[in-house]
Amino acid sequence: MAQPDLARDWPPLTPEERAELELPGMWPGSERPDEDFGTPLTVTLDYDLVWQARTAAWRISKPWIEEILSRGLGNLRGLTEERRDERAALGAHVLTFGAIVRQGIQEHWPTKSRKAFD
């Protein structure tokens, strides 16, 4: 969370934004094929840190998600290959909470444990 793109004084989430964040599967996912989602990991994170990260992800991603949705690209079903590519290009800018956590683990986890992620 100390990275310049994350460590801003973000406006707090409104109750409406928090409610929207709690709806599973409502965001178009980020399009990062090189990210590894297959390594199971259990950690305990500070509550305030989690909400700082979720707020940063929301504030950074919201304009891109709105663009995806305004172009009718939110649902992959029925999209042509060209429209899927358009969605993927926009989705590459979407930052998720999970991506923030994975980046933090890769950059700051103790060297001995990092081998699982390399």
Side-chain angles (χ1 to χ4, degrees):
M1 288 303 302
Q3 299 297 321
D5 59 336
L6 300 176
R8 298 182 192 168
D9 190 19
W10 298 105
L13 296 170
T14 65
E16 293 80 13
E17 289 171 327
R18 276 187 177 248
E20 192 169 345
L21 260 176
E22 293 173 0
L23 296 173
M26 294 305 291
W27 277 27
S30 61
E31 300 284 341
R32 294 183 175 90
D34 57 327
E35 287 188 358
D36 175 22
F37 294 96
T39 305
L41 176 70
T42 302
V43 295
T44 301
L45 300 173
D46 176 75
Y47 179 84
D48 290 334
L49 180 64
V50 168
W51 277 103
Q52 283 178 330
R54 290 185 82 185
T55 300
W58 178 266
R59 296 284 178 233
I60 290 168
S61 300
K62 190 171 182 180
W64 297 103
I65 293 169
E66 287 175 348
E67 184 68 21
I68 288 168
L69 297 176
S70 73
R71 293 185 187 191
L73 302 170
N75 190 336
L76 285 173
R77 281 183 268 159
L79 293 182
T80 64
E81 194 64 33
E82 182 179 312
R83 303 262 299 151
R84 284 175 182 256
D85 290 345
E86 181 182 355
R87 182 189 189 280
L90 293 168
H93 300 282
V94 173
L95 179 65
T96 64
F97 171 75
I100 293 172
V101 171
R102 285 188 299 280
Q103 179 182 349
I105 289 169
Q106 286 179 336
E107 294 177 7
H108 303 289
W109 204 261
T111 308
K112 185 176 182 181
S113 299
R114 190 179 292 167
K115 290 180 183 178
F117 298 99
D118 291 338

